Every structure is written in structure tokens, then in C-alpha cells.
Amino acid sequence: MTPDPTSPAEPTGLADRLRGRSELGVCALLLVLGVLVLSDALTMDTSFTQRGPVGPKTVPLVVGAGLLLVAVLLAVDVLRGGRGEAEGGEDIDLSAPGDWRTVLLLGGVFLGNAVLIQPLGFPLSGALLFWGSAYALGSRSFHRDPIIAAVLSVVTFFVFDRLLAVPLPGGPLMGVL
């Protein structure tokens, strides 16, 4: 007796059983990220930064454990038949192409900040980062944006460098600030 070609075939292999469950890839990514965060947190040297009962390992351990928990819960949901809902697109046109100009501008701004933070210091490279991000996202206030970016960068530098004791490169403005 030959099988009917119009009837659906029974899943025979692992690939057939996993078809339509692409969310398991997200589970795997979350699992790998969780393991990386936890392994990095557990090998972190905290001898110079420990100031109280809650040390610098606390947040990475909580985030890593949370990533593992979400990965497991999502995998269980997907394997039980749960499906993610497609984006409804309340205020966006899903058929429109992506705005690659903005993505490339933001990528260039972040890359520029990574390259310039050592020679220029955080206050200057941060100001360029904030101004460039505002420009890439559509702000065209050429008089106001650089001033806001500079103030935001200097305030961020002082909060991290002075108040939180996270050393940031000061660059040529180190004597002034």
C-alpha cells in the first residue's frame, strides 16, 4: 500500500519537528548570553572595588541568572506550542523598507566614539556621540543640539568619574574639568 501524496507527512527527523519554531534560536542566544555573563561575573576581580556588602558582581549575577531563566521559560513555552504574535504595526508601515541611512549614521557615530574616546577623552567624544545621535535620529536644531550634547556629556562624565568612581578618560580637558 503506497502512501497518499496529498496527506501530510509525519515528522520524521529533528528538523521536521523543529520547523516553525524559530523562537528556539532566541532561546539559544539568551542561554549563551546568560552563560557568558555569569562566567564573566564569577571570574571578575573585585578586590579593588568592593566597598560594602553588595559588590560589583551582584548585578551581572542577577542579569545572567535572569537571562538563563527567560531562556528556559521561553523554550518550554515554544515546545508546548506557544507562538509569538506578529507585529501589528500600530503606527508604522510594515511594508516600507528600513531606514538604513539612520542605522548607518548611528553605527558611524558609535564607532567614532569608540575610536575617539581615548585621544579626545569622554567629555569631547561623548558630546560628539550625543550630538551625532540626535542628528542621526532627525534633530536639526544646529544651535541647541551641540550645547545640550556638551552639557549632557560633561554631566555624565562627572557622575561616572567623580560620583560613581568609574574612571573615564578625561583627555585634553582633564586639567580644565
Side-chain angles (χ1 to χ4, degrees):
M1 185 165 165
T2 60
D4 181 16
T6 60
S7 67
E10 292 293 320
T12 56
L14 181 63
D16 289 335
R17 283 186 295 218
L18 294 179
R19 181 160 292 137
R21 295 185 177 168
S22 61
E23 292 94 345
L24 290 176
V26 174
C27 298
L29 178 68
L30 290 174
L31 185 73
V32 168
L33 285 175
V35 168
L36 285 174
V37 168
L38 285 175
S39 66
D40 194 36
L42 292 173
T43 59
M44 182 185 301
D45 180 26
T46 59
S47 60
F48 68 94
T49 57
Q50 187 75 25
R51 292 187 180 176
V54 177
K57 288 185 177 184
T58 305
V59 172
L61 288 174
V62 169
V63 169
L67 285 169
L68 292 179
L69 179 67
V70 169
V72 169
L73 292 175
L74 181 60
V76 167
D77 181 53
V78 169
L79 292 174
R80 286 184 174 174
R83 306 270 315 158
E85 290 185 27
E87 172 65 39
E90 295 175 14
D91 59 348
I92 59 171
D93 181 14
L94 294 177
S95 63
D99 186 7
W100 288 105
R101 178 183 178 274
T102 301
V103 172
L104 292 174
L105 281 173
L106 280 174
V109 166
F110 283 111
L111 183 62
N113 184 54
V115 169
L116 295 174
I117 196 166
Q118 264 320 325
L120 294 183
F122 183 82
L124 291 176
S125 72
L128 292 172
L129 170 73
F130 295 137
W131 176 80
S133 297
Y135 179 82
L137 293 172
S139 179
R140 296 297 183 262
S141 178
F142 295 112
H143 299 295
R144 183 185 60 200
D145 289 346
I147 295 169
I148 292 173
V151 169
L152 186 59
S153 179
V154 170
V155 167
T156 304
F157 175 76
F158 274 114
V159 167
F160 279 91
D161 195 61
R162 303 291 194 264
L163 298 178
L164 298 175
V166 175
L168 293 175
L173 295 178
M174 197 61 180
V176 178
L177 300 175

